Each structure stands twice: as C-alpha cells, then as structure tokens.
Amino acid sequence: MAEMTVSGAQEFAGGQTQMRTLALVWGALLMLLLPILGLLGLFMRAYQSQILLEAVPDVSWFYASLTLHGLGLVGLSYTVSFVAMLYVLSQHVRLNPTVIWFSTSLTVVGVVLLVINFLLRFAPGWYFLYPLPFISAGGWPSYTADIFLVAVAVLGVAWLLWELELLRAIASRYSLSQALGWHYLKGSTTPELPPVVLVATVCAIAGIIALLAAVAMLIFFLVHRFTGSMVDPLVVKNLTFFFGHVLINLAMYHAIAFLYATFPTYSGHAWKTALPMVIAWNCVLFLVMFAYFHHLYMDFAQPRWVQVVGQIASYGTSIPAAVVTILGMLAQVYQRPVRWTLASSLLFLGTLGWAVGGVGAVLDSTVAVNFRFHNTLWVPAHFHTYLLVGLIFMMLGFVAHLTQELSGVAERVGLARAIVALLLIGGYGFVMMFYLSGAHSVPRRYALYPPEVEIGTTFAIIALLFVLLVVLGMLLYLIEVGRRWFAAYAALRAS
Amino acid sequence: MVRCLCCAASLLIGGGLLYGQTPLGGRDPLLPDEGRVVYRALPDVRVQLSDGRAAKLSQFWQQRPLLLIFVFARCVGICSPLLSSLHETTSIVGGSGDAYHVLVLSFDPRDTPAQLEQFARRIGVPPQRGWYFGVVEPHHLRQLVHATGFWYTPIQASDQFDHPGMMVAIRDGRIVRVHVGGTVSPVQFRAILREMRGDMVLSYPLPDAKLVFRCYRYNPRTGQLSWDWGMLALFGPMLIGFPLAILGFQMGRRRRLRSISDVCPTL
C-alpha cells in the first residue's frame, strides 16, 4: 500500500510538472498572440481615425481585422483562462496531460487556419452570422468559407476534448452532488469542496453543452455548404450565440476559478466554498444557457417570452459576479495586508474591470436599453471593459503569477507599477471613448463614419492615444514577464 | 487498399465541395438598390406642375411625407401598370393628401406636365387629392436620378426608355424606402406609409415554407407563432449535455470505488 501511495504521488507530481509546462507554453502563446491581435484593434481605431486612408485604401482589411481580432481574442481568452484554471485545479484532481497537449496542438492548427483566412481577407465579422460567410459579394474567395468551417471544426473538437477530460478528472474524485456542492445546501461542509472544483464543474458541464451547440451550428453550415440550399438563419443565429455567449462567459468563469485559488496567496486569507457561493454557481449553470437570448432582441421573429427569459437569465447570471466574487474580493482586500505585486494588482483590477463591464452588460441586456444602444459603439464599450480591462488583465496576472512562482525571480517594483498604471489609464481611456461614442449614437462595425456621426472620428483619434499607452504598458510587461518566463522555463527544465 | 480508400474519400469530399458551390440567388444588378440610397438627402429642386404652379420639393416634404414616382408620358411598358396599381392601392388604403403626397415626375425631357397628366388620365388614373404631376429641369433631373439610384436608357429603335419601375418614399427630405417593381400591394404600401411616418417597420426575410428545421412557424392570418423542429436543435445540446455529464460522473463513480478498494481491499 505504501508503494502504491509513493507511485501515486510520483504520478501526481509528474502530472503537475506537465501542467506547469503546459501553462508556460500557453503563457508564451498569450504573450505572442495578444500583442498581434491587439495591434489589429489598434489598426481598426487608426482606420476609423482616417489616418490610414491613403496607406490602406482597401477597406476590406478593416473588416478582415475585425473578424480575426474578435474571433482571436475570444478564443485566446477562453483557452488561456482554461489553462489557468487547469493549473490550479491540477492540485486537486489528476488531469491527463496527453489529452490537454493534443487539444493544444489542435487549437494551434485552428488558429493557423484563421490567420490564413485573414490574409485572404475573410471578413464576415467575428459573429460570422449565417449566411454571411457564404456571401462574400467578391470580398473574399468562396473557399475561405470552407477553411473557416474546417477551423471551427478543429477548434470545436479540441475544446470539446478538453472539456470532457476536465469532467472526467473531476468525476474521478468527486460525485456530481459533491462537485456541485449540493451537500452545502443540506448544511454539511464535508467533504470540503475547493471553490476551483465547484467552478470547474460548472464550466465543464456548460462548456460541453455550448460545444454541442457549436456542433449543431456547424451541421447547419455544412448542410448549406453541401446542398447549396438555405437553412433557417434564425436557428443558426440562436445556435451561434448559444455557443459564443456561453463560451465567453466560461472564459470569465475560468479566470474567476483561478482567482479563487490564487488571490489568497497574496492576501493571506483563505477563499473557501460557502453556501451563497454554491447557490450562485448552481444558478449560473442553469441560467447561462438562456442568457444568450439578449443577443437576439432585434430579431422580432423570436416570441416575446423568449426575450423576457433572456432578460431574466441575463440578470440572473450576474449573481456570482455581484454577490459572490466581488464581495468575496472586497473581503480579501479590506483591511488586510495584501502583498501587491504585478500579478495580484492585475488580478484585482481585472475583477474591477469585470464588475464595471458586467454592470454595462446587465444594462445592455435590458430590452429598453438594448433597443436604443444595440447597434452603437456602446456595445463594444461594455464588452471591451470586461474583456480588456477585466479578463485580459486577469490573464496577464495569471502569466505574471505563474512565471514568478516558477522562476522565483524578484520583481522590479517600479517597473511593475509603471505597467499597471499604463495599462489601467490606457485601458479605461480607450473604453471610455467607446462609451462616449455610443452616447453620441456612433454606429458600430463602421470602418469610416458618415458626416452625421463624424464625432466618432474624433473619439477614435483620442482612443488611439490611450491605445498607445496600452501598447507601451504591454511592451514593459513583455520585458518584465518575458525575463521571468525564460527563467521559469530554465528552472522547469532543470527540475 | 488504403490508397483506394483515400482516393475514394478525396473524390467524395472534392465532389461534395464542387456540388456545394451552387451560388445563391443574388439580386438583379439592374434593379435599384435601396441599401445604397436609404437615408440619403434629396436635392431641393424646382418642379413645374400640371396645374401651372411651380414648387420646390421641400414644399411637399415639409407638409407631409412624399412619394416620388418616375415615369414618362409615351411609356408603353411598366409605367402604366405601376401607376394603376398605386392608384388602386391608395384608393384602398386611403390617406392621400392627408397622410402623404404623391408626386409623379417625368424623366423624359420632351414631356410637359400637361402631357403627363393626360397620360395618367388615359390609363385610368384621374387627378385626385394629394396627387401631383410635374417635370423638372434636365440638370435637376440628373441630380434627382443620382440621389435616388434611378436610371433610364433611351432605346433608339422604339423611341422608348429602358428603366425600372420605382417609387421613392421621402420623409423630411430623406429617402426612407425604395420600392421596386411594376405593382404595389396594400400590404407593401402600408409598410411604406409606416416608414414614411417614422414608425419602426420590422423586416425579416421569411424562409421558404418547405424549409425544415425552422425555429418557429408564423401564421400571418392569426399572427400566431408555433414551435417548429428547429427548436429541437436549440434544446438538443442541453438534452444531450446534461445526461452526458451525469453519465460521466456515474462512470467516475466506478473509478472512485475501484481506487478505494485498491487502497482498502476489504471494502
């Protein structure tokens, strides 16, 4: 029995080393892809500022950039946050590294295909709403739609595999009722459930369902592709947002799982599972399936009750944000000697951005508000708030934490503060220009603004200045964290 | 054997891709495109009317919404059915002169306002309240044609013009709707009127009735929506995903029990 325990421990330690390597690889991918995809965003704002009109007269590059920027950053957020969650989860359950590595390889293949499509100026927008990918009007070659479908299929398989692996790993140690913390509902706290396991279980189940919706969506696309006949765009739009909305929500939930497990190492105060947390996350598991209806308020063919469900579910999914995570985070920092580093600052500010953007999201999910704001830049304003200064901050915090933990290299405090200040001022200034544009009815998805809303051009110019601060902050981040990354890699190889 | 299977698979996939390249039915490039001109401001040109008056276009649209139609007096094609259809439809729907004006303009420089009115009478469209017939100066006509997306081409052999049948709905000097075709039904006209009034007009291309897997079916008579098979695709992921998760945990339960019995064989 003693031998088995030792071999089990060795196997467990080996698995953890694999997870560390995997996390480092994804950290490098984040540091490589985030600047590239971010620069596409810079390009778009520059285009809207009309300073690139002569250099890039072909407007199709704007829409191709819009497509890759959106798809790429949503995918990158989902994958890196997933790996961040696995990194902390691997302390509680045994994951099969082979499956995770295989999924990683497939993800890279999918990304390469999307980049090829970008170079071919595939530009149906990052929602790729059916049937637009097939109707290019000469804007992109018809075969790019095929490449896109292959990319979606490859990414779908990759992510479904690792969601299934996540479920398997959790199920190997916990029963469903334990993993969802139902015993807390009966007043029992044994076995103690780490918050990361609770959130990971919710994410695994919701993730599998979302990816099944993606499979159904893909089938409809393929029916069109191989028969040449139309399918109902409303069904496909529902499925697209079912998949897409749940996926981006999961990205944030992954980051929260990482936050629950990591922030206590900076605050010195444990973040434990409690009854409100269990109730909130169980509600999320159910409600997140129906919140996506708020993307279809403009589709009047949807019955009124569907829109009502969409608004209620959207409000309902904010429970963990408002009640559990934000209050929990405040309890972590209030009158406590928090060790403020680059990682902990970014994690804290990421939660702040998520909360601010979350309020914007709830407002946007209100039918009366959405009716006015839906097609304005107010929409990118709120999702850039919870993605750029929310989720991306948390992911940058994850890589800063990971490299610090694995390398043990001392942090340069002044540089870390400069990075945080630049990202914070640049990030909020950038999203503020979106909010102000929205308030002035500047439409979204416009490469150039018509005379009626030419104030959008002015806001784009100001936004550019803030983006430059973000770029500078990101450069300093790459210098600081990149240095640690190489040290962490060397340390891991040596071990 | 493997090579044969690969070839067969390649042929199957390649054939499928080629077969699937069936182009979708696009719009006729000769027909005016509403999307290109909607919300465009109209030039405020001077119109010579059949009652002898001269008026600017803004005098029409400042009073009430304006419906603009381009025809010519010698037309033996689409002008007659379009005007007749509009006349019949406005009689059914009502509101001419109260809710909107109709301005029939000639794009033939040889036409006079009187000739245009005679042409209308000849085809059974007598002058009525809210209807006006007129002509504009050639350079003003060019501005109007450019703004509205209308076009016409002389056909030398027949002394006719090739042109589309087109009505332009104008609110406060801006184009809010372009109707293209030889007729206008009361349903279409009511939608145009709502647009001219500034009401929100919902539009959604209805899928073919034979289409399988639709979300809903809509009965235009009763206004009722009913679920269709497409709903299965929306609930399917949940109906499969939740049982799959439960199954996963059931299979995990066996593994958990096995690992416990490994550690403690008496269990």
Side-chain angles (χ1 to χ4, degrees), chain A residues 393-425:
Chain A
F393 271 29
M394 287 160 114
M395 290 307 90
L396 292 175
F398 155 62
V399 181
H401 170 85
L402 173 78
T403 51
Q404 177 78 39
E405 189 175 73
L406 298 184
S407 70
V409 173
E411 184 166 286
R412 288 179 281 195
V413 178
L415 191 59
R417 283 182 186 164
I419 293 167
V420 172
L422 284 168
L423 291 178
L424 193 66
I425 297 167

Short mmCIF file of all heavy atoms in Angstrom, two decimals, chain A residues 393-425:
data_model
loop_
_atom_site.label_atom_id
_atom_site.label_comp_id
_atom_site.label_asym_id
_atom_site.label_seq_id
_atom_site.Cartn_x
_atom_site.Cartn_y
_atom_site.Cartn_z
N PHE A 393 -6.71 41.51 -18.24
CA PHE A 393 -5.90 41.87 -17.05
C PHE A 393 -5.67 40.62 -16.19
O PHE A 393 -4.56 40.37 -15.70
CB PHE A 393 -6.62 42.93 -16.22
CG PHE A 393 -6.30 44.36 -16.61
CD1 PHE A 393 -5.95 44.69 -17.90
CD2 PHE A 393 -6.36 45.39 -15.67
CE1 PHE A 393 -5.66 46.00 -18.27
CE2 PHE A 393 -6.07 46.70 -16.02
CZ PHE A 393 -5.73 47.01 -17.32
N MET A 394 -6.74 39.85 -16.01
CA MET A 394 -6.61 38.64 -15.17
C MET A 394 -5.66 37.63 -15.81
O MET A 394 -4.88 36.97 -15.12
CB MET A 394 -7.99 38.02 -14.92
CG MET A 394 -8.83 38.83 -13.95
SD MET A 394 -10.56 38.43 -14.10
CE MET A 394 -10.88 37.71 -12.54
N MET A 395 -5.74 37.52 -17.14
CA MET A 395 -4.85 36.57 -17.82
C MET A 395 -3.39 37.03 -17.76
O MET A 395 -2.48 36.22 -17.60
CB MET A 395 -5.29 36.38 -19.28
CG MET A 395 -6.58 35.62 -19.46
SD MET A 395 -6.58 34.03 -18.61
CE MET A 395 -7.22 34.42 -17.02
N LEU A 396 -3.20 38.35 -17.88
CA LEU A 396 -1.84 38.87 -17.73
C LEU A 396 -1.37 38.64 -16.29
O LEU A 396 -0.19 38.32 -16.05
CB LEU A 396 -1.80 40.37 -18.06
CG LEU A 396 -2.06 40.74 -19.54
CD1 LEU A 396 -2.12 42.25 -19.71
CD2 LEU A 396 -0.99 40.15 -20.44
N GLY A 397 -2.30 38.75 -15.36
CA GLY A 397 -2.00 38.46 -13.95
C GLY A 397 -1.63 37.00 -13.76
O GLY A 397 -0.70 36.67 -13.01
N PHE A 398 -2.34 36.13 -14.47
CA PHE A 398 -2.05 34.69 -14.39
C PHE A 398 -0.62 34.40 -14.83
O PHE A 398 0.14 33.69 -14.14
CB PHE A 398 -3.06 33.91 -15.25
CG PHE A 398 -2.58 32.57 -15.74
CD1 PHE A 398 -2.24 31.56 -14.84
CD2 PHE A 398 -2.47 32.31 -17.11
CE1 PHE A 398 -1.79 30.32 -15.30
CE2 PHE A 398 -2.02 31.08 -17.57
CZ PHE A 398 -1.68 30.09 -16.66
N VAL A 399 -0.22 34.95 -16.00
CA VAL A 399 1.12 34.66 -16.52
C VAL A 399 2.18 35.29 -15.61
O VAL A 399 3.23 34.69 -15.36
CB VAL A 399 1.26 35.14 -17.98
CG1 VAL A 399 2.64 34.80 -18.53
CG2 VAL A 399 0.20 34.48 -18.86
N ALA A 400 1.88 36.48 -15.08
CA ALA A 400 2.83 37.13 -14.15
C ALA A 400 2.98 36.26 -12.89
O ALA A 400 4.10 36.05 -12.40
CB ALA A 400 2.32 38.52 -13.77
N HIS A 401 1.86 35.73 -12.40
CA HIS A 401 1.89 34.88 -11.19
C HIS A 401 2.67 33.59 -11.47
O HIS A 401 3.53 33.18 -10.70
CB HIS A 401 0.45 34.56 -10.77
CG HIS A 401 0.35 33.51 -9.72
ND1 HIS A 401 0.48 33.80 -8.37
CD2 HIS A 401 0.17 32.16 -9.79
CE1 HIS A 401 0.37 32.68 -7.67
NE2 HIS A 401 0.17 31.67 -8.51
N LEU A 402 2.32 32.98 -12.61
CA LEU A 402 2.94 31.69 -12.98
C LEU A 402 4.46 31.83 -13.10
O LEU A 402 5.21 31.02 -12.53
CB LEU A 402 2.34 31.25 -14.33
CG LEU A 402 2.94 30.03 -14.99
CD1 LEU A 402 2.41 28.78 -14.32
CD2 LEU A 402 2.62 30.00 -16.48
N THR A 403 4.90 32.83 -13.84
CA THR A 403 6.34 32.98 -14.08
C THR A 403 7.07 33.35 -12.79
O THR A 403 8.20 32.91 -12.57
CB THR A 403 6.60 34.05 -15.16
OG1 THR A 403 5.88 35.23 -14.81
CG2 THR A 403 6.15 33.59 -16.52
N GLN A 404 6.39 34.13 -11.95
CA GLN A 404 7.00 34.50 -10.66
C GLN A 404 7.15 33.25 -9.78
O GLN A 404 8.20 33.00 -9.18
CB GLN A 404 6.09 35.52 -9.97
CG GLN A 404 6.54 35.95 -8.59
CD GLN A 404 7.67 36.96 -8.67
OE1 GLN A 404 7.64 37.83 -9.54
NE2 GLN A 404 8.66 36.85 -7.82
N GLU A 405 6.07 32.45 -9.76
CA GLU A 405 6.04 31.26 -8.90
C GLU A 405 7.08 30.24 -9.35
O GLU A 405 7.78 29.64 -8.53
CB GLU A 405 4.65 30.64 -8.94
CG GLU A 405 4.43 29.53 -7.93
CD GLU A 405 2.99 29.04 -7.94
OE1 GLU A 405 2.58 28.36 -8.90
OE2 GLU A 405 2.27 29.34 -6.98
N LEU A 406 7.20 30.05 -10.67
CA LEU A 406 8.10 29.01 -11.17
C LEU A 406 9.56 29.47 -11.24
O LEU A 406 10.47 28.66 -11.12
CB LEU A 406 7.65 28.54 -12.56
CG LEU A 406 6.27 27.89 -12.64
CD1 LEU A 406 6.00 27.39 -14.04
CD2 LEU A 406 6.14 26.74 -11.66
N SER A 407 9.77 30.77 -11.44
CA SER A 407 11.16 31.23 -11.59
C SER A 407 11.76 31.70 -10.28
O SER A 407 12.97 31.56 -10.06
CB SER A 407 11.22 32.37 -12.60
OG SER A 407 10.61 33.53 -12.05
N GLY A 408 10.95 32.29 -9.42
CA GLY A 408 11.45 32.85 -8.18
C GLY A 408 12.25 34.13 -8.39
O GLY A 408 12.89 34.64 -7.48
N VAL A 409 12.19 34.68 -9.64
CA VAL A 409 12.92 35.92 -9.93
C VAL A 409 12.23 37.09 -9.22
O VAL A 409 11.01 37.20 -9.26
CB VAL A 409 12.95 36.17 -11.46
CG1 VAL A 409 13.55 37.53 -11.78
CG2 VAL A 409 13.72 35.07 -12.15
N ALA A 410 13.03 37.94 -8.61
CA ALA A 410 12.46 39.08 -7.89
C ALA A 410 11.83 40.07 -8.87
O ALA A 410 12.35 40.30 -9.96
CB ALA A 410 13.55 39.77 -7.08
N GLU A 411 10.73 40.64 -8.43
CA GLU A 411 10.00 41.57 -9.29
C GLU A 411 10.60 42.97 -9.18
O GLU A 411 10.98 43.41 -8.09
CB GLU A 411 8.54 41.60 -8.86
CG GLU A 411 7.67 42.44 -9.73
CD GLU A 411 6.19 42.17 -9.47
OE1 GLU A 411 5.71 41.11 -9.88
OE2 GLU A 411 5.55 43.00 -8.81
N ARG A 412 10.67 43.69 -10.31
CA ARG A 412 11.14 45.08 -10.27
C ARG A 412 9.92 45.95 -9.98
O ARG A 412 9.04 46.12 -10.86
CB ARG A 412 11.78 45.45 -11.60
CG ARG A 412 13.13 44.75 -11.77
CD ARG A 412 13.78 45.08 -13.07
NE ARG A 412 13.21 44.30 -14.17
CZ ARG A 412 13.77 44.18 -15.38
NH1 ARG A 412 14.92 44.75 -15.63
NH2 ARG A 412 13.18 43.47 -16.31
N VAL A 413 9.85 46.43 -8.75
CA VAL A 413 8.62 47.06 -8.25
C VAL A 413 8.24 48.29 -9.08
O VAL A 413 7.08 48.45 -9.48
CB VAL A 413 8.81 47.44 -6.76
CG1 VAL A 413 7.56 48.15 -6.24
CG2 VAL A 413 9.10 46.20 -5.94
N GLY A 414 9.22 49.13 -9.37
CA GLY A 414 8.93 50.35 -10.14
C GLY A 414 8.36 50.02 -11.51
O GLY A 414 7.37 50.63 -11.94
N LEU A 415 8.97 49.05 -12.16
CA LEU A 415 8.51 48.65 -13.49
C LEU A 415 7.10 48.07 -13.41
O LEU A 415 6.24 48.37 -14.26
CB LEU A 415 9.49 47.62 -14.06
CG LEU A 415 9.32 47.26 -15.54
CD1 LEU A 415 9.48 48.50 -16.43
CD2 LEU A 415 10.31 46.20 -15.96
N ALA A 416 6.86 47.25 -12.39
CA ALA A 416 5.53 46.65 -12.22
C ALA A 416 4.48 47.73 -12.04
O ALA A 416 3.38 47.67 -12.62
CB ALA A 416 5.54 45.70 -11.03
N ARG A 417 4.80 48.74 -11.24
CA ARG A 417 3.82 49.83 -11.02
C ARG A 417 3.58 50.61 -12.32
O ARG A 417 2.45 51.00 -12.61
CB ARG A 417 4.34 50.77 -9.94
CG ARG A 417 4.17 50.17 -8.55
CD ARG A 417 4.63 51.10 -7.47
NE ARG A 417 4.56 50.44 -6.18
CZ ARG A 417 5.18 50.86 -5.10
NH1 ARG A 417 5.92 51.93 -5.14
NH2 ARG A 417 5.06 50.20 -3.96
N ALA A 418 4.66 50.82 -13.07
CA ALA A 418 4.50 51.55 -14.35
C ALA A 418 3.61 50.75 -15.30
O ALA A 418 2.74 51.33 -15.98
CB ALA A 418 5.88 51.78 -14.97
N ILE A 419 3.81 49.44 -15.34
CA ILE A 419 2.98 48.58 -16.22
C ILE A 419 1.51 48.71 -15.83
O ILE A 419 0.64 48.95 -16.68
CB ILE A 419 3.44 47.10 -16.12
CG1 ILE A 419 4.84 46.93 -16.71
CG2 ILE A 419 2.44 46.18 -16.83
CD1 ILE A 419 5.49 45.60 -16.36
N VAL A 420 1.24 48.57 -14.53
CA VAL A 420 -0.14 48.62 -14.06
C VAL A 420 -0.76 49.99 -14.38
O VAL A 420 -1.88 50.07 -14.89
CB VAL A 420 -0.21 48.33 -12.54
CG1 VAL A 420 -1.61 48.58 -12.01
CG2 VAL A 420 0.21 46.88 -12.27
N ALA A 421 0.00 51.05 -14.11
CA ALA A 421 -0.54 52.40 -14.34
C ALA A 421 -0.84 52.62 -15.82
O ALA A 421 -1.91 53.12 -16.19
CB ALA A 421 0.46 53.44 -13.84
N LEU A 422 0.09 52.20 -16.69
CA LEU A 422 -0.10 52.42 -18.14
C LEU A 422 -1.29 51.61 -18.66
O LEU A 422 -2.11 52.12 -19.42
CB LEU A 422 1.17 52.01 -18.89
CG LEU A 422 2.33 53.00 -18.81
CD1 LEU A 422 3.61 52.37 -19.34
CD2 LEU A 422 2.00 54.26 -19.59
N LEU A 423 -1.37 50.35 -18.24
CA LEU A 423 -2.48 49.51 -18.70
C LEU A 423 -3.81 50.05 -18.19
O LEU A 423 -4.82 50.06 -18.90
CB LEU A 423 -2.28 48.06 -18.25
CG LEU A 423 -1.13 47.28 -18.90
CD1 LEU A 423 -1.02 45.88 -18.31
CD2 LEU A 423 -1.33 47.17 -20.41
N LEU A 424 -3.81 50.50 -16.95
CA LEU A 424 -5.05 50.98 -16.32
C LEU A 424 -5.54 52.27 -17.00
O LEU A 424 -6.70 52.34 -17.44
CB LEU A 424 -4.79 51.23 -14.84
CG LEU A 424 -6.03 51.43 -13.97
CD1 LEU A 424 -6.85 50.16 -13.91
CD2 LEU A 424 -5.64 51.85 -12.56
N ILE A 425 -4.64 53.26 -17.10
CA ILE A 425 -5.05 54.55 -17.70
C ILE A 425 -5.38 54.34 -19.19
O ILE A 425 -6.41 54.79 -19.68
CB ILE A 425 -3.94 55.61 -17.53
CG1 ILE A 425 -3.72 55.88 -16.03
CG2 ILE A 425 -4.30 56.90 -18.25
CD1 ILE A 425 -2.46 56.66 -15.72
#
